[in-house]
Amino acid sequence: MEKSSGLQHRPGRSLWVCALLGAAGMAAVDEIVFHQILAWHHFYDRSTPSVGLISDGLLHTAELVGLVAGFALFADLLRRRALSTAHAWAGLFLGLGGFQLFDGIVDHKLLRVHQIRYGVDLLPYDLAWNGAGLLLLAVGAVLTVRARR
Amino acid sequence: MPGAHHPQVALVEWVIAAGAAAAVTAYLLAAARLRRRGDAWPVLRDLSFLAGGGALVWALLGHLPGGPFTAHMAQHLVVAMAAPLSLVLGRPLTLLLRVLPPRGTRRTLLAAARARPVRWLLFPPAAAVLDVGGLWLLYRTPLAASHHPLAQVHVLLAGLLFTFAICQLDPVRHRWSLAWRGLTLLGAGAAHAVLAKSLYAAPPPGAVYAATDLHTGSQLMYYGGDLVELALAAVLATQWYRATGRVLRRSTMATRRTVSAE
């Protein structure tokens, strides 16, 4: 990556910057919608192992830093007129789906940070959650293939 | 802490508040002197420093809402995180170095700012350990229940040191890279979030709080910390954006020169 070559499309960078924005954005949506508005996710779940608490803290801070860094990198791409729109959309969907699936499988199931909702049969919720993640990832994959053509 | 009413703690809080008021007065006088001399000094810096000092006085002497733990956390957020950020954004060291006469105090201050131990104190991970590490000691050892009058002083100074090291706006000899500062912010933020969540489940040893107070206070610590971390990240992102912008402008100008020379 040469920094001096302004005014040239940078597809790879467009893709990963928007994937970062997508993942951090999805984490923010999770925090706002499921923790705060619906209050389905619990702030603290007593069955969480300490490794789950630590990874949750790291991921939560990474979401904040990633969101700000993503915006700065995106603004930089625009300033250089280096944004490849097709790759940007592909990256965004890959990021959205990637985080949703990671959250559904690693956070909810492996690390047991918290469950989607409490006092209900979890199976349909888990299927819908991870299915949505897979769908978003699939859209991202299709868009990536189309962007590369 | 419930120790807010201990006479020694109250005395220390009055001393810090008086110090903050004096610092703000000195800052505004110095900035005014600079402007009279014809130097440019953005008003936003004055406002930022004023807001930081004002917030400090309010958090130390004012009446904070909520139960004892929630009120303590609100105080902690202002004294250790928000006020230091606001004060550091005012670039007090730069102002001081500009306004002092070249010899005497200025020379000593500059030598101190460039001394080797200061360089390591401003190494972002070291500053983070002093800041967040101290917080873990405060909340996870019996220290919290001892109401040590100097705890508040440590929290403020460590907060200032951490913010100063992360933002790196004032002139010091060694500049740590964006990667060091960004990764430190990430680690410190994570440690802060984990501590906040652990306080939700268990209060500091030796302290007793109502469950709702504990839950509100720990969530205030978690989400309040987020806001300050977002602001710190925005400071770093702005620095990066401006620095790359300068490089970009130089390289496009250089290209134009070569093209027109051909």
Side-chain angles (χ1 to χ4, degrees):
Chain A
M1 290 209 202
E2 59 275 60
K3 276 197 179 135
S4 52
S5 71
L7 312 184
Q8 213 171 54
H9 275 272
R10 295 167 84 169
R13 199 177 165 100
S14 302
L15 188 117
W16 75 256
V17 165
C18 288
L20 176 69
L21 275 173
M26 193 52 125
V29 165
D30 177 79
E31 192 73 52
I32 293 164
V33 174
F34 290 96
H35 281 274
Q36 301 299 327
I37 297 177
L38 293 174
W40 282 6
H41 290 8
H42 283 185
F43 184 69
Y44 186 87
D45 183 328
R46 277 184 199 276
S47 63
T48 311
S50 51
V51 61
L53 268 185
I54 293 167
S55 99
D56 179 57
L58 254 177
L59 206 67
H60 179 70
T61 313
E63 161 208 334
L64 298 174
V65 175
L67 206 57
V68 175
F71 274 119
L73 288 160
F74 188 77
D76 181 56
L77 280 170
L78 287 181
R79 171 173 69 181
R80 291 168 193 270
R81 302 205 193 108
L83 187 79
S84 156
T85 319
H87 288 84
W89 281 108
L92 185 71
F93 275 93
L94 287 177
L96 291 171
F99 182 82
Q100 177 82 351
L101 201 61
F102 176 88
D103 196 35
I105 291 176
V106 179
D107 285 340
H108 296 167
K109 296 296 128 187
L110 296 178
L111 294 173
R112 309 190 67 81
V113 174
H114 51 68
Q115 298 305 322
I116 296 174
R117 199 174 179 181
Y118 290 80
V120 291
D121 177 22
L122 271 175
L123 188 66
Y125 285 91
D126 279 332
L127 287 177
W129 190 277
N130 293 313
L134 270 178
L135 189 67
L136 288 167
L137 259 186
V139 171
V142 170
L143 288 177
T144 310
V145 171
R146 281 180 52 181
R148 286 204 171 154
R149 277 204 196 129
Chain B
M1 271 303 97
H5 303 296
H6 282 228
Q8 275 180 315
V9 175
L11 177 68
V12 168
E13 288 178 346
W14 270 100
V15 171
I16 302 176
V24 168
T25 313
Y27 183 103
L28 294 177
L29 287 175
R33 187 165 158 189
L34 216 60
R35 291 198 184 97
R36 265 202 311 277
R37 195 165 85 183
D39 287 16
W41 189 260
V43 184
L44 267 180
R45 292 186 191 166
D46 298 44
L47 292 177
S48 182
F49 200 84
L50 179 66
L56 208 52
V57 172
W58 171 72
L60 290 169
L61 304 183
H63 182 76
L64 296 163
F69 186 67
T70 308
H72 162 75
M73 260 319 154
Q75 191 186 47
H76 155 76
L77 276 175
V78 175
V79 173
M81 300 181 81
L85 176 62
S86 215
L87 292 170
V88 165
L89 288 179
R91 307 192 191 200
L93 180 62
T94 308
L95 176 65
L96 200 55
L97 288 173
R98 279 223 208 147
V99 85
L100 285 174
R103 273 166 235 288
T105 329
R106 186 181 187 279
R107 185 177 282 179
T108 323
L109 192 67
L110 205 57
R114 291 177 171 180
R116 197 169 282 269
V118 172
R119 168 184 169 172
W120 286 107
L121 208 59
L122 290 175
F123 177 46
V129 167
L130 280 174
D131 190 25
V132 190
L135 212 59
W136 273 84
L137 279 182
L138 193 63
Y139 291 123
R140 281 290 163 243
T141 64
L143 207 62
S146 75
H147 311 305
H148 199 284
L150 291 181
Q152 198 73 272
V153 179
H154 167 84
V155 162
L156 171 64
L157 291 181
L160 281 169
L161 177 74
F162 176 74
T163 317
F164 191 92
I166 292 290
C167 295
Q168 225 163 81
L169 293 163
D170 281 313
V172 284
R173 175 165 284 176
H174 190 85
R175 303 237 158 184
W176 296 98
S177 70
L178 195 69
W180 272 119
R181 296 184 285 139
L183 286 173
T184 303
L185 178 61
L186 189 64
H192 192 266
V194 172
L195 181 61
K197 277 213 173 174
S198 89
L199 284 170
Y200 185 93
V208 181
Y209 297 108
T212 45
D213 186 21
L214 190 66
H215 292 171
T216 316
S218 58
Q219 292 192 61
L220 181 65
M221 177 181 182
Y222 188 84
Y223 292 113
D226 282 2
L227 289 182
V228 180
E229 281 151 27
L230 269 176
L232 283 169
V235 170
L236 294 192
T238 311
Q239 286 175 347
W240 175 83
Y241 188 79
R242 285 192 181 150
T244 40
R246 280 193 292 273
V247 173
L248 188 68
R249 270 198 303 280
R250 267 201 296 276
S251 72
T252 37
M253 278 195 294
T255 323
R256 270 188 211 140
R257 268 200 298 275
T258 11
V259 169
S260 57
E262 272 165 7

